[in-house]
Amino acid sequence: MLKYPYELPELPYEYDALEPFIDSETMHYHHDKHFKTYIDNLNKALEPYPQLQKMPLEWLLMNPFRIPPEIRTFLMNNAGGVYNHYLFFNNLTPEKEKNQPTTKLSSMIEKQFGSMENLKKIFIENAESVFGSGYTFLTMAQNGMLKIINTANQDTVLMFNVMPVILVDVWEHAYYLKYKNLRKEYLENIFNVINWQAFFN
Ligand code: MN3
């Protein structure tokens, strides 16, 4: 899927497909500039290390202490940026039938969170509380336990041994052009275009 040399994947929908919730200009900056910069920097970090080039992206992210200390922070930040943005853009869709969970996931949500509305409320509260830059994930453990996890900067959820169900990028670059400082408004709007079926079927 994702391997060296990394390339910017195409958006799986048109830039304006998520309007009015996520505007086309934000999508261009976020995908073509921010995401691309993480890709370019990750390639740059790996260029002098043929052994590391062969390793899957997930391996790099799960083995920080196998990364030479002189490039560790730079490589981890950019590997996380590539991994999280790959998930993020695939986690959105204009297709209405995918903007809701499958019947199976719906019943798990109702059982564990009471209702979809309650999950959304708790998710948004968590995402509002991310201090500075990061992400909010809804994750699922192997036993089916759903959990909301916030990560800082470009940290991933790989270390928690869970799979992402949905995620929201709460870096300002994800919403500032349209929503300015109103993170909560961005969060409420992005729920209209979440692809609930991207990682869980
Ligand atoms: Mn981003």
Side-chain angles (χ1 to χ4, degrees):
M1 168 188 87
L2 293 173
K3 58 183 181 59
Y4 183 87
Y6 294 89
E7 281 174 27
L8 184 67
E10 265 186 53
L11 261 192
Y13 36 77
E14 297 298 324
Y15 287 87
D16 61 359
L18 308 178
E19 298 255 15
F21 309 109
I22 307 292
D23 60 295
S24 169
E25 191 186 13
T26 297
M27 289 303 285
H28 273 286
Y29 273 95
H30 200 174
H31 180 272
D32 304 353
K33 310 278 184 203
H34 290 278
F35 190 7
K36 174 116 188 339
T37 301
Y38 291 111
I39 301 254
D40 292 345
N41 283 339
L42 178 57
N43 285 332
K44 204 186 297 171
L46 289 169
E47 205 185 324
Y49 300 92
Q51 290 306 319
L52 294 179
Q53 290 169 11
K54 293 180 204 147
M55 307 313 287
L57 183 58
E58 287 87 347
W59 184 94
L60 297 174
L61 287 162
M62 291 180 81
N63 292 281
F65 295 103
R66 309 280 290 273
I67 311 293
E70 62 273 20
I71 58 159
R72 188 177 299 145
T73 304
F74 183 73
L75 187 140
M76 295 303 289
N77 285 339
N78 286 291
V82 169
Y83 190 78
N84 284 333
H85 282 98
Y86 181 80
L87 294 179
F88 176 73
F89 289 112
N90 279 298
N91 180 230
L92 299 171
T93 183
E95 294 173 53
K96 288 283 158 237
E97 66 276 17
K98 292 182 181 168
N99 295 148
Q100 50 200 349
T102 58
T103 318
K104 188 178 172 201
L105 183 56
S106 290
S107 71
M108 293 169 83
I109 289 170
E110 276 163 33
K111 212 163 153 190
Q112 296 183 44
F113 288 90
S115 67
M116 183 68 179
E117 277 313 297
N118 194 46
L119 164 66
K120 190 175 152 188
K121 182 173 159 277
I122 299 171
F123 188 98
I124 290 176
E125 283 167 5
N126 271 268
E128 279 186 274
S129 78
V130 173
F131 185 76
S133 298
Y135 292 79
T136 299
F137 290 81
L138 175 66
T139 64
M140 189 185 293
Q142 273 170 0
N143 63 4
M145 182 71 87
L146 296 167
K147 194 176 175 190
I148 295 169
I149 298 177
N150 284 345
T151 63
N153 301 314
Q154 292 298 353
D155 290 353
T156 69
V157 291
L158 283 167
M159 296 287 199
F160 299 98
N161 200 21
V162 290
M163 68 160 215
V165 179
I166 65 166
L167 70 153
V168 173
D169 185 338
V170 292
W171 283 61
E172 280 187 346
H173 68 228
Y175 61 90
Y176 206 85
L177 286 175
K178 180 176 171 75
Y179 294 100
K180 305 296 181 251
N181 59 324
L182 303 177
R183 185 188 286 184
K184 189 176 186 184
E185 209 168 294
Y186 156 68
L187 292 165
E188 280 166 354
N189 276 283
I190 201 171
F191 262 89
N192 292 296
V193 286
I194 293 277
N195 184 352
W196 282 89
Q197 299 169 28
F199 315 119
F200 184 89
N201 271 294

